[in-house]
């Protein structure tokens, strides 16, 4: 069993993974977002619109038409999720502040408002959600701190059939982050602001028993789940740890170096990936941006030079990363996993 969310380096994403391809949430500004689809076989990107008579974009070639099936309008950034044949986004209404879960067919032809799941003070990336089953999402919202060092946040269970939202766990700190599902367990980090830094404690909520327990009672950085038995987490200025979820045994499998004092993590079931993008911001501006491909014992099997932005996704088939090309809007670039251990592998820009 693999955790679906562990292919992402961040807690939220601009991309969702389907069985035959990838769905991407794109757009500039507050109210002009649209969806595209990247086919796994061809690595070509198209608007998520199957109407042969649709021009998709206006005369400028830059703005997707509101009549196009790919158009989703005003949404919460990085709120795209795929589940069981459908794409979901969180629509945002700047007048009512309502946040609505929208269900979209895999070909983009049908858009359905499911329910209002909450409100947001602005259109920031303040919501995270994951599917527990076909009719249940687990949702968290981080309200603006408004100068407060601590706020109360909740983990909510949303019944999509009954259209009901119920808090299952509340916490006074700053936020929940990195929601991941493995069976009936929902893992997440709860973030507390200490005197000089933020502490991330790993917690899980079991849906079957409605029980919350601490997985790691210490401050960690990002984490990723390899399978039902193994979890990896990173401790800044320390290194990569492996945790046996059955026995609780922990092991430092890769010590950090000057270029990996900070790293984001993802796992595709075969390798653990370390993106050192944050090293430039938090430790050394001169750090080279690399992606490190590690086996489950922490051995680096390849080091891939990476352009300016952080890596987005690493599933069993592809790596995806945003790049700027000739001053254009960010485009997707990729590496096929069949080439992942090639020391000369390079990023390719997606074809349109």
């Amino acid at each position: 069993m693999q955790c679906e969310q562990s292919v992402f380096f961040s807690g939220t994403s601009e991309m969702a993974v389907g069985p035959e391809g990838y769905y991407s949430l794109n757009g500039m500004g507050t109210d002009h977002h649209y969806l595209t689809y990247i086919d796994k076989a061809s690595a070509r990107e198209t608007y998520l619109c199957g109407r042969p008579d649709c021009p998709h974009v206006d005369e400028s070639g830059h703005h997707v038409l509101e009549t196009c099936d790919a158009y989703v309008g005003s949404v919460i950034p990085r709120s795209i999720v795929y589940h069981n044949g459908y794409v979901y986004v969180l629509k945002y209404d700047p007048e009512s502040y309502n946040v609505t879960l929208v269900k979209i067919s895999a070909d983009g032809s049908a858009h359905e408002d499911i329910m209002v799941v909450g409100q947001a003070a602005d259109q920031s990336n303040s919501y995270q959600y994951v599917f527990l089953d076909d009719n249940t999402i687990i949702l968290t919202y981080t309200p603006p701190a408004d100068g407060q060092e601590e706020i109360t946040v909740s983990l909510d269970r949303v019944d999509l059939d009954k259209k009901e939202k119920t808090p299952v766990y509340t916490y006074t700190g700053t936020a929940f982050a990195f929601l991941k599902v493995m069976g009936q367990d929902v893992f997440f980090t709860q973030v507390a602001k200490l005197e000089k830094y933020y502490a991330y404690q790993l917690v899980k909520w079991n849906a079957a028993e409605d029980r919350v327990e601490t997985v790691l009672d210490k401050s960690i950085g990002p984490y990723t789940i390899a399978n039902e038995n193994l979890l990896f987490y990173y401790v800044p200025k320390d290194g990569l740890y492996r945790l046996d979820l059955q026995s609780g045994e922990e092991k430092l499998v890769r010590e950090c170096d000057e270029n990996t004092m900070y790293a984001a993590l993802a796992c595709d079931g075969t390798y653990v990936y370390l993106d050192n993008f944050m090293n430039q911001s938090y430790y050394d501006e001169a750090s080279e941006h690399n992606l490190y491909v590690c086996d489950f014992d922490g051995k680096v099997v390849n080091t891939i030079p990476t352009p300016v932005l952080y890596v987005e996704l690493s599933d069993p088939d592809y790596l995806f990363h945003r790049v700027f090309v000739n001053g254009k809007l960010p485009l997707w670039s990729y590496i096929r996993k069949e080439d992942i251990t090639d020391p000369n592998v390079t990023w390719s820009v997606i074809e349109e």
Side-chain angles (χ1 to χ4, degrees), residues 109-136:
S109 62
H111 295 223
E112 177 189 358
D113 289 0
I114 301 298
M115 64 176 287
V116 174
V117 295
Q119 290 192 311
D122 54 43
Q123 196 177 354
S124 64
N125 182 29
S126 50
Y127 275 87
Q128 293 184 48
Y129 67 105
V130 292
F131 274 83
L132 184 63
D133 55 48
D134 290 349
N135 299 312
T136 310

Side-chain angles (χ1 to χ4, degrees), residues 10-306:
S10 179
T12 56
S13 181
E14 294 178 340
M15 183 173 278
V17 183
E20 305 297 334
Y22 307 88
Y23 298 87
S24 174
L25 179 60
N26 313 273
M28 301 294 289
T30 59
D31 62 350
H32 214 86
H33 292 85
Y34 61 94
L35 301 176
T36 58
Y37 179 74
I38 300 170
D39 180 73
K40 278 188 180 182
S42 65
R44 293 185 65 88
E45 185 174 23
T46 57
Y47 292 102
L48 191 63
C49 177
R51 294 192 288 113
D53 60 333
C54 182
H56 307 308
V57 295
D58 62 13
E59 294 180 355
S60 72
H62 299 299
H63 300 290
V64 172
L65 297 170
E66 294 185 18
T67 54
C68 177
D69 286 345
Y71 181 82
V72 290
S74 176
V75 299
I76 299 291
R78 304 178 66 82
S79 67
I80 185 170
V81 170
Y82 175 89
H83 179 74
N84 196 23
Y86 293 92
V87 182
Y88 296 81
V89 295
L90 296 177
K91 183 170 65 175
Y92 180 68
D93 186 335
E95 295 184 0
S96 67
Y97 306 117
N98 282 344
V99 175
T100 302
L101 182 68
V102 179
K103 180 179 180 181
I104 302 164
S105 60
D107 62 359
S109 62
H111 295 223
E112 177 189 358
D113 289 0
I114 301 298
M115 64 176 287
V116 174
V117 295
Q119 290 192 311
D122 54 43
Q123 196 177 354
S124 64
N125 182 29
S126 50
Y127 275 87
Q128 293 184 48
Y129 67 105
V130 292
F131 274 83
L132 184 63
D133 55 48
D134 290 349
N135 299 312
T136 310
I137 64 171
I138 306 302
L139 174 87
T140 183
Y141 167 63
T142 303
D146 293 329
Q148 303 176 58
E149 291 191 1
E150 290 190 334
I151 55 178
T152 298
V153 291
S154 68
L155 193 72
D156 298 326
R157 181 175 191 156
V158 182
D159 187 315
L160 301 180
D161 281 341
K162 298 179 180 178
K163 296 182 170 47
E164 294 178 349
K165 183 173 72 172
T166 306
V168 297
Y169 175 61
T170 58
Y171 170 72
T172 300
T174 63
F176 292 141
F178 298 105
L179 272 64
K180 302 182 193 299
V181 176
M182 178 61 74
Q184 289 292 299
D185 288 324
V186 179
F187 291 80
F188 56 96
T189 53
Q190 57 185 26
V191 188
K193 186 176 182 181
L194 302 183
E195 187 173 342
K196 293 184 178 180
Y197 64 97
Y198 288 93
Y200 292 72
Q201 185 183 50
L202 185 60
V203 180
K204 71 176 180 181
W205 171 71
N206 182 271
E209 300 177 5
D210 191 17
R211 176 172 51 87
V212 174
E213 64 179 270
T214 300
V215 179
L216 288 169
D217 190 15
K218 60 180 178 179
S219 182
I220 67 170
Y223 76 98
T224 190
I225 302 173
N227 52 49
E228 61 268 25
N229 297 316
L230 287 181
L231 180 148
F232 290 86
Y233 66 93
Y234 210 80
V235 177
K237 298 185 178 181
D238 187 2
L240 176 68
Y241 284 79
R242 185 179 65 206
L243 171 66
D244 187 310
L245 290 170
Q246 306 303 318
S247 68
E249 180 184 354
E250 301 173 57
K251 182 180 180 180
L252 175 64
V253 294
R254 183 185 186 274
E255 292 185 8
C256 67
D257 51 36
E258 291 294 302
N259 213 35
T260 55
M261 291 292 185
Y262 294 86
L265 302 180
C267 184
D268 61 7
T270 302
Y271 296 112
V272 180
Y273 298 80
L274 280 62
D275 180 1
N276 75 334
F277 174 76
M278 295 181 291
N279 215 62
Q280 295 177 343
S281 300
Y282 297 137
Y283 183 71
D284 183 1
E285 292 182 358
S287 294
E288 294 181 356
H289 185 195
N290 292 318
L291 183 72
Y292 300 87
V293 185
C294 301
D295 65 19
F296 285 2
D297 291 319
K299 179 184 177 182
V300 176
V301 299
N302 202 4
T303 300
I304 303 173
T306 303

